[in-house]
Amino acid sequence: DAGVTQSPTHLIKTRGQHVTLRCSPISGHKSVSWYQQVLGQGPQFIFQYYEKEERGRGNFPDRFSARQFPNYSSELNVNALLLGDSALYLCASSSRATAGGLVTKNIQYFGAGTRLSVL
Amino acid sequence: DAKTTQPPSMDCAEGRAANLPCNHSTISGNEYVYWYRQIHSQGPQYIIHGLKNNETNEMASLIITEDRKSSTLILPHATLRDTAVYYCIVRVEGSNYKLTFGKGTLLTVNP
């Protein structure tokens, strides 16, 4: 089975431009999360979507937005790019297991990421 | 989420067991311990997670102390391909949707 796929793998943009990153989750997974990883740091949470609804947002400016489509794929959009947006953008998908109405398992599986360079 | 503390780096000889410690002294009763690793320039890879009992899978073993304030990830026979940054994360299962990564431990497996 295919894992989480992200496109493109690499991207170069200039300051002020807009970028769209794409993610296809593992088949059957309905939840997608986005993370930003700058050099030397661990990934930082940006958004989570479940069943096409935003379920969580990290401490990122409004220039960052995302959406999830009926097929559970997702896009991350970043407007007015800054040099500091240069990073590895990671997408993770998960499948929630429930028991008695409670979520019991929610392991996130990551894609290889999109390397964004802003010049 | 409870904060975790990991050594910044560790070395291990190939074929030996790698024991990676993690301190999570402020962990709550409903928080699980997760381990991920990230090989250079790749996405993080899930390894194992547990609540209070020791866990083992095909990749590793997770030993959680009885008071749950610390844990150890054990790679029983480290190979060169196990060289990576290892992240210890604690979070509430299910309802907590995000993973909060620290800086992790860079494990270098030497030939």
Side-chain angles (χ1 to χ4, degrees), chain B residues 57-74:
Chain B
N57 63 19
E58 64 279 4
M59 289 184 66
S61 294
L62 173 60
I63 308 298
I64 303 174
T65 58
E66 191 169 344
D67 64 7
R68 301 208 326 121
K69 293 184 177 182
S70 65
S71 61
T72 301
L73 178 74
I74 301 173

Side-chain angles (χ1 to χ4, degrees), chain A residues 51-69:
Chain A
E51 289 281 16
K52 302 181 288 296
E53 291 187 5
E54 182 183 304
R55 296 300 181 98
R57 173 185 287 253
N59 188 24
F60 281 81
D62 292 342
R63 299 185 296 109
F64 288 77
S65 63
R67 54 179 176 168
Q68 187 176 32
F69 299 100

